[in-house]
Amino acid sequence: MHVEEPSFDESFIHYPHYRTTLTSYRHAQIELREDSRTIRFDPAGNIQTVYTNNVSPAKKAFLKGPIHAVGISFRPLGINHFLSGDAFINQGHASFIEHASWPGFESYMEAVFSCTSLQQKAAYLDEFFVQVFRPFDQETLQAIVSEIIDKQGA
């Protein structure tokens, strides 16, 4: 999402779903609450990345001013293929991701934000994630989650 209008002021609702997302924001001030998030333009703001696992309840998002954001969606447990060691993200709420846990991520995101081609943005992201890919060896857990998704929760 790339909006340059200083008067931009929108809101929407995140309904519960099974996907997780990483959303990186450039030049933003981000306020995370249990029931909402607010993103405001801040020209001095560094790149910040928010992990979201919105399984319940619905949450409101407020976007104010120019917004520069890149979102990456993962199937359940998918993000765990990019974490090292025994790291496991299972929070049921939004939280900030420490870029230090992914050396080089911030510079890749600077490149993503700096280019205009969607294909080039995807290529930068793929290049980074290929470098940090780690098999997530929890076959039983993955099989259970896949079964739930295939049966659509039924």
Side-chain angles (χ1 to χ4, degrees):
M1 171 181 239
H2 189 92
V3 177
E4 289 295 339
E5 300 169 33
S7 61
F8 186 74
D9 189 355
E10 294 288 332
S11 65
F12 59 91
I13 296 174
H14 286 276
Y15 290 98
H17 54 83
Y18 66 90
R19 290 194 174 264
T20 59
T21 59
L22 287 181
T23 307
S24 291
Y25 299 91
R26 182 168 72 168
H27 303 308
Q29 175 188 23
I30 303 169
E31 180 182 346
L32 299 177
R33 293 189 178 150
E34 196 164 316
D35 64 343
S36 67
R37 79 172 61 169
T38 302
I39 294 90
R40 290 184 178 82
F41 180 70
D42 179 358
N46 295 326
I47 291 177
Q48 297 180 70
T49 302
V50 176
Y51 166 80
T52 305
N53 181 3
N54 193 23
V55 291
S56 68
K59 298 173 184 172
K60 191 98 170 181
F62 302 93
L63 308 174
K64 300 178 182 300
I67 300 292
H68 306 140
V70 173
I72 305 163
S73 178
F74 295 90
R75 286 179 61 119
L77 305 177
I79 193 171
N80 292 292
H81 290 281
F82 304 98
L83 302 173
S84 61
D86 295 329
F88 182 83
I89 296 179
N90 65 355
Q91 296 157 309
H93 55 82
S95 59
F96 290 100
I97 295 291
E98 296 295 325
H99 291 163
S101 60
W102 280 338
F105 182 71
E106 195 163 349
S107 60
Y108 271 93
M109 290 311 300
E110 281 291 351
V112 168
F113 281 116
S114 296
C115 72
T116 56
S117 162
L118 290 177
Q119 290 80 12
Q120 187 59 50
K121 288 177 187 285
Y124 283 135
L125 291 169
D126 286 341
E127 184 178 327
F128 174 77
F129 283 108
V130 162
Q131 292 177 31
V132 296
F133 180 81
R134 305 286 181 271
F136 181 60
D137 295 324
Q138 297 291 328
E139 293 176 20
T140 303
L141 183 57
Q142 289 182 47
I144 292 168
V145 169
S146 292
E147 183 72 16
I148 292 169
I149 292 169
D150 290 345
K151 302 271 188 211
Q152 299 177 343

